[in-house]
Amino acid sequence: MPDNLRALKPEQRMDELDRQMKQRSALNQKLSALVAKRDKFVAEQRDKAPPKTSSFDRVVEDTLKAQIKR
């Protein structure tokens, strides 16, 4: 246990841990929202870009789409 938590009384320690857990939860929610926003942006940019005939990524993507349809 970190020194700053070890020095606290048990009640204070639980309060501090609860505060940190709430803060972590809020940060995780914010991160999830940002990741979703980034994924949407990347997908839009990929759809706008002209398809490259020799792009390895496009070939893999097309192969995966064909396999998923089966």
Side-chain angles (χ1 to χ4, degrees), residues 14 27 34 41 44 52 56 59 68-70:
M14 289 304 296
L27 289 172
L34 289 172
F41 175 80
E44 288 173 356
K52 298 178 184 175
F56 177 76
V59 172
I68 290 172
K69 288 182 181 180
R70 289 188 210 165

Side-chain angles (χ1 to χ4, degrees), residues 20-32:
Q20 288 180 6
M21 287 174 55
K22 287 178 185 177
Q23 181 183 21
R24 183 173 291 163
S25 176
L27 289 172
N28 280 335
Q29 289 176 353
K30 185 177 179 180
L31 178 64
S32 294

Side-chain angles (χ1 to χ4, degrees), residues 4-68:
N4 63 340
L5 291 178
R6 206 175 304 152
L8 297 175
K9 293 180 182 178
E11 304 86 32
Q12 292 173 328
R13 188 178 307 144
M14 289 304 296
D15 290 341
E16 178 64 19
L17 289 174
D18 287 341
R19 184 190 67 76
Q20 288 180 6
M21 287 174 55
K22 287 178 185 177
Q23 181 183 21
R24 183 173 291 163
S25 176
L27 289 172
N28 280 335
Q29 289 176 353
K30 185 177 179 180
L31 178 64
S32 294
L34 289 172
V35 166
K37 187 176 177 181
R38 181 201 62 202
D39 289 345
K40 181 181 175 186
F41 175 80
V42 168
E44 288 173 356
Q45 294 302 313
R46 184 183 62 223
D47 292 341
K48 288 180 185 178
K52 298 178 184 175
T53 56
S54 63
S55 170
F56 177 76
D57 293 337
R58 292 280 182 177
V59 172
V60 170
E61 183 179 349
D62 292 341
T63 303
L64 289 174
K65 284 181 181 179
Q67 290 176 352
I68 290 172

